Amino acid sequence: MKGHPEPCRRVAWFLFALFLIWPSVASAYLEYKIEPSFEHLSFFLNRGEYRINDQETFELKFGFVYDNEKNFKTDLQPRFKIDFRDFSRNRYLPNDAILKYYQAKGEIWGGLQTITWGVAESFNPTDIINRRDFEDNYYDPEKLGEVIGGFKYGWNQAGPFDSLTLTFMVLPFFQEAPLPEDDTRFPLTGSIGGIPYSLFEDQDKMGTPQSVGGAFEISATVKNVDLSFHFYHGPERNPGFQLIIDDNGALRLQPFYYLIDMIGFNLEAPVGNFVLRFEGAGKIMSFNDPRPHDIPFEDNNAVPSNHLQLVPGFDYTFTDFAGKGTMRFIFEYLGEIDHSTSLRDFRPFKNDLFVGFQYDFNNTRSTQLKLGVIKDLVNQEAMMKFEFDTKIYRELKFAIEGVFVHRDSTLQNSPISFFDNNSYLLGRFSYAFGERVEVK
């Protein structure tokens, strides 16, 4: 399967075997959860030239947590995901399978893991540790697990800080980001100067030691303000694209990987019913060797230029809104200093406004409604997403989601307007059950 090399399989099986044989101690507990689900995703635009137009997915998720409540914990989350129409979306490896040794102030861990950096609701420029599954859904890609080893140490009080935590991580194995195939919903095809191009399937990867990544995080609390500083050096987990001419003389889009330094900062501060947020990331790629295109192009270097991404925003919460519900309104600006739209800087959200709300009914069914709109401030591009989920009976849940896209026909190098209209509706049924068992 694309994007999941053999080292990850060995790590996953090792952790699973260790979980099965690890001895129990007097105060230990075992917690398990099983969640089958089925979802149908229907795109509004049905296109006869592509073999795949909808998605029908069955997924079976497992969660196993063992903790001796002294110094050892393992968290395994296997999954089994099958698309009955598009077999390239099938997934079998877990995104999280972690082995952890801990003490009162510190911990060491290793395994497959998803790491979330960032405080913004709509877009997180600092969240670059994991690659994304663009083959699954280019508009809303899933985060995929990486092989990570880490160390964390914290202080309850350190000078002006109410709490201070240092985290160090190493990412020893590189994995490709899965990309969509040409005859599915999100083909990376087009034309430049009247010359058509299509995706070159073989991704150009980096070898060791360049493919080894490292990161650290400093997080702290000053009174009620949460602060965090992030740094990452290693391969950018999601590829860039270079125009090449293949052996048959056809123009192709070559996925390739490059090194990046990311320096990020996050702030979250509650003020009454307001929560102020700021997320910023400076990304440096200029130390990479240039990647010239095989045809004349406006910028004959495919490695993205250095850039600064900023997401300031806030939300406001109303309690007892329309009965016993809780309403939260969210406003964020998603921007960059440079608004270039070249192939080299093929990124979304360079000058956009996000407006959204979340309504919790606070009922026994855990009913919730979310709605968000991202609007580009300089063109006609816009995207709206809504989610509604509730319990039907006990832990049987129903959810409906929708993404509605308004493209700008004049744009060529925007990830949203690049594709044909891919607005869709999704319905999902799921059931979760599990138990926590004390191990004597």
Side-chain angles (χ1 to χ4, degrees):
M1 184 177 62
K2 295 186 289 184
H4 295 80
E6 186 61 28
C8 290
R9 297 180 187 274
R10 292 198 294 267
V11 170
W13 281 113
F14 169 76
L15 291 173
F16 181 69
L18 188 60
F19 165 77
L20 292 177
I21 66 175
W22 194 266
S24 63
V25 296
S27 61
Y29 73 87
L30 172 66
E31 187 174 85
Y32 73 90
K33 181 179 179 180
I34 303 175
E35 183 177 5
S37 66
F38 176 80
E39 67 179 37
H40 178 85
L41 187 153
S42 180
F43 293 94
F44 293 168
L45 176 62
N46 204 37
R47 296 174 295 190
E49 65 269 32
Y50 300 118
R51 69 180 173 88
I52 304 296
N53 276 295
D54 291 323
Q55 298 174 356
E56 288 185 347
T57 310
F58 171 78
E59 187 167 17
L60 184 61
K61 294 181 180 179
F62 300 89
F64 299 101
V65 177
Y66 171 82
D67 192 341
N68 66 8
E69 298 192 314
K70 180 180 179 182
N71 56 17
F72 174 80
K73 182 178 181 179
T74 182
D75 185 353
L76 305 180
Q77 299 184 37
R79 66 168 178 168
F80 179 80
K81 176 180 176 182
I82 296 293
D83 188 314
F84 299 106
R85 302 188 179 206
D86 184 359
F87 298 145
S88 67
R89 295 183 65 246
N90 294 353
R91 300 289 182 265
Y92 307 105
L93 291 181
N95 286 326
D96 292 275
I98 305 163
L99 187 72
K100 181 185 297 183
Y101 176 82
Y102 64 88
Q103 293 293 326
K105 294 185 177 181
E107 61 186 50
I108 301 174
W109 77 87
L112 289 166
Q113 191 173 14
T114 54
I115 299 288
T116 298
W117 280 354
V119 295
E121 292 282 344
S122 55
F123 172 59
N124 302 111
T126 62
D127 193 22
I128 68 169
I129 296 295
N130 299 86
R131 70 201 189 285
R132 305 283 175 161
D133 194 349
F134 296 107
E135 189 174 39
D136 180 69
N137 186 334
Y138 208 96
Y139 282 160
D140 189 17
E142 178 189 20
K143 186 185 296 185
L144 295 174
E146 305 288 351
V147 178
I148 301 175
F151 168 76
K152 179 187 292 186
Y153 193 85
W155 296 265
N156 293 330
Q157 188 72 39
F161 305 113
D162 298 327
S163 64
L164 178 66
T165 302
L166 302 180
T167 305
F168 298 88
M169 293 180 286
V170 61
L171 292 83
F173 296 114
F174 177 81
Q175 303 176 80
E176 299 176 4
L179 296 174
E181 298 179 0
D182 286 344
D183 59 351
T184 56
R185 289 300 307 193
F186 298 95
L188 297 177
T189 59
S191 64
I192 291 180
I195 305 174
Y197 65 82
S198 60
L199 183 68
F200 193 68
E201 291 186 359
D202 293 332
Q203 302 191 35
D204 190 357
K205 303 179 290 295
M206 293 183 296
T208 307
Q210 281 188 315
S211 61
V212 176
F216 74 84
E217 175 190 33
I218 303 173
S219 60
T221 300
V222 181
K223 295 184 179 180
N224 63 344
V225 179
D226 294 326
L227 307 169
S228 60
F229 173 81
H230 308 268
F231 177 78
Y232 169 81
H233 172 80
E236 165 61 68
R237 298 286 155 175
N238 301 313
F241 297 98
Q242 178 185 14
L243 291 165
I244 65 169
I245 298 175
D246 66 15
D247 294 338
N248 297 320
L251 186 62
R252 309 296 294 274
L253 203 60
Q254 168 73 71
F256 73 95
Y257 294 86
Y258 52 90
L259 292 174
I260 181 173
D261 283 343
M262 192 281 294
I263 302 173
F265 176 74
N266 293 317
L267 179 148
E268 189 171 42
V271 182
N273 287 350
F274 285 93
V275 177
L276 308 181
R277 294 187 176 91
F278 176 82
E279 185 169 345
K283 298 178 180 179
I284 303 170
M285 288 76 65
S286 56
F287 52 85
N288 291 273
D289 293 333
R291 302 272 309 212
H293 300 284
D294 285 355
I295 63 172
F297 203 69
E298 58 188 59
D299 191 336
N300 201 28
N301 183 8
V303 178
S305 55
N306 301 341
H307 57 277
L308 177 65
Q309 297 174 304
L310 305 172
V311 185
F314 67 91
D315 63 55
Y316 186 87
T317 301
F318 296 91
T319 57
D320 297 326
F321 187 91
K324 296 181 180 180
T326 302
M327 174 70 80
R328 187 164 67 99
F329 288 95
I330 308 130
F331 300 87
E332 292 178 347
Y333 173 76
L334 297 66
E336 295 186 15
I337 303 301
D338 183 4
H339 298 165
S340 171
T341 59
S342 66
L343 177 63
R344 179 182 187 183
D345 297 304
F346 186 79
R347 293 185 299 274
F349 313 137
K350 294 192 171 186
N351 187 22
D352 298 73
L353 181 67
F354 172 78
V355 179
F357 74 83
Q358 174 181 315
Y359 184 72
D360 291 296
F361 289 76
N362 294 331
N363 57 16
T364 57
R365 299 183 183 275
S366 302
T367 307
Q368 186 180 81
L369 175 65
K370 296 180 181 179
L371 175 67
V373 177
I374 296 178
K375 176 67 180 70
D376 196 299
L377 298 179
V378 295
N379 57 55
Q380 299 301 312
E381 207 172 60
M383 177 184 291
M384 183 185 76
K385 181 177 181 179
F386 81 89
E387 301 177 19
F388 173 82
D389 58 87
T390 187
K391 292 182 181 179
I392 300 175
Y393 177 73
R394 293 187 178 179
E395 296 305 313
L396 178 62
K397 299 179 182 179
F398 170 73
I400 184 170
E401 301 177 10
V403 170
F404 302 91
V405 181
H406 186 277
R407 302 166 64 232
D408 190 321
S409 59
T410 64
L411 297 180
Q412 296 181 346
N413 291 329
S414 166
I416 292 178
S417 292
F418 178 84
F419 299 103
D420 291 336
N421 195 325
N422 281 287
S423 301
Y424 64 81
L425 282 176
L426 178 152
R428 179 190 303 112
F429 288 95
S430 65
Y431 185 82
F433 60 94
E435 186 179 9
R436 172 171 168 151
V437 179
E438 299 297 327
V439 180
K440 303 298 184 180

